[in-house]
Amino acid sequence: MIQGVIFDMDGLMLDTETLAIPAWLKAGKTYGFPITEEQVAHTFGFSVKGMQEYFMSLFGDKFPFEKALQIRKDYVNEWIDEHGVPFKPGLLELLPFLKDNGYKIAVATSCDLERVTRYFHQGGIMDFFDAVVTGEMVPRSKPHPDIFLKACEELGLDPSVCLGLEDSPAGLESIFRAGMTAVMIPDKIPYSDKLKEFTGTVLGDLSEVITYLENESRTR
């Protein structure tokens, strides 16, 4: 019986991974490092530390990660300030449904708290969430289970009664290892058989989670 729903953020709730690609390419061009779209996609779901380790492994100690990351942040923030928060399809249907039906709601994202609160306040969705857990709050990032276990703890729920929503392989593995039910809603990385171990359910967009939960509740 699902009692809580825990969301990833980038690529799942917000279409920020689409923005991250040109942002990182701009950072690479600025400092003379040949960052590719494929390399950026590889970092989806990573914490800041994980991104740093990955880019340093590619380009060495001379890669100015902090400066490049600031370019990425500024690019995305400026785009959102101009165009608004890019919600993924179905989010603004799903959140009221969850709240109206008594589900506890959390976000478990590898990004930093400042960015989460900025985007959620700008988008007017902050009040839907009972808990916000970010990468700096746990010792290990996805695919380790720490961040989803922390979110369950903040909700006061056992992982076995929580549903995790993710778009990235690292996030799905994190949900699985936390002992939760995992649902994938693909974004930049499509579903493949190698993800079958971590999730048996793949949905088209967030609005389909409503039907999934309605069906789940009827089988209780």
Side-chain angles (χ1 to χ4, degrees):
M1 181 176 71
I2 300 300
Q3 299 177 29
V5 178
I6 302 175
F7 292 76
D8 174 47
M9 187 180 79
D10 292 313
L12 187 281
M13 298 173 60
L14 310 182
D15 196 17
T16 43
E17 289 181 346
T18 296
L19 301 175
I21 292 173
W24 276 114
L25 297 184
K26 178 181 178 181
K29 186 175 181 179
T30 298
Y31 293 110
F33 291 88
I35 297 175
T36 67
E37 291 189 22
E38 291 76 17
Q39 290 165 348
V40 177
H42 183 77
T43 68
F44 291 158
F46 283 21
S47 65
V48 171
K49 182 180 179 183
M51 286 191 288
Q52 182 174 18
E53 291 172 351
Y54 176 69
F55 282 120
M56 299 295 269
S57 74
L58 292 175
F59 303 121
D61 293 341
K62 292 184 178 180
F63 180 69
F65 176 77
E66 295 295 338
K67 292 179 179 179
L69 180 65
Q70 191 60 51
I71 288 177
R72 197 287 305 269
K73 289 181 178 179
D74 290 344
Y75 181 101
V76 176
N77 288 341
E78 288 167 9
W79 192 98
I80 290 176
D81 286 344
E82 181 177 353
H83 301 283
V85 178
F87 294 125
K88 294 287 286 184
L91 178 67
L92 298 184
E93 299 169 53
L94 178 57
L95 288 175
F97 169 84
L98 296 176
K99 187 63 71 175
D100 291 345
N101 286 276
Y103 292 96
K104 292 187 176 181
I105 312 171
V107 60
T109 173
S110 299
C111 81
D112 58 88
L113 182 61
E114 186 276 332
R115 192 153 63 94
V116 177
T117 54
R118 175 190 177 98
Y119 296 163
F120 282 16
H121 281 301
Q122 280 183 277
I125 62 171
M126 192 73 197
D127 290 344
F128 284 105
F129 291 87
D130 301 296
V132 173
V133 180
T134 60
E136 68 266 47
M137 298 179 183
V138 292
R140 299 178 299 177
S141 60
K142 303 171 187 179
H144 295 287
D146 304 36
I147 196 165
F148 283 101
L149 289 173
K150 176 68 172 175
C152 293
E153 179 184 337
E154 291 293 317
L155 293 179
L157 296 174
D158 189 88
S160 64
V161 298
C162 290
L163 178 70
L165 304 176
E166 265 282 1
D167 66 292
S168 73
L172 289 165
E173 183 176 350
S174 179
I175 293 170
F176 175 80
R177 293 171 67 180
M180 299 165 53
T181 300
V183 167
M184 182 183 192
I185 301 173
D187 182 42
K188 301 305 180 194
I189 301 173
Y191 175 79
S192 63
D193 285 344
K194 67 181 180 180
L195 298 174
K196 189 180 296 184
E197 177 184 357
F198 308 126
T199 178
T201 304
V202 182
L203 301 177
D205 65 40
L206 289 168
S207 67
E208 295 182 16
V209 178
I210 295 173
T211 302
Y212 175 93
L213 290 170
E214 288 175 335
N215 290 337
E216 190 270 344
S217 67
R218 283 195 288 269
T219 61
R220 291 176 185 175

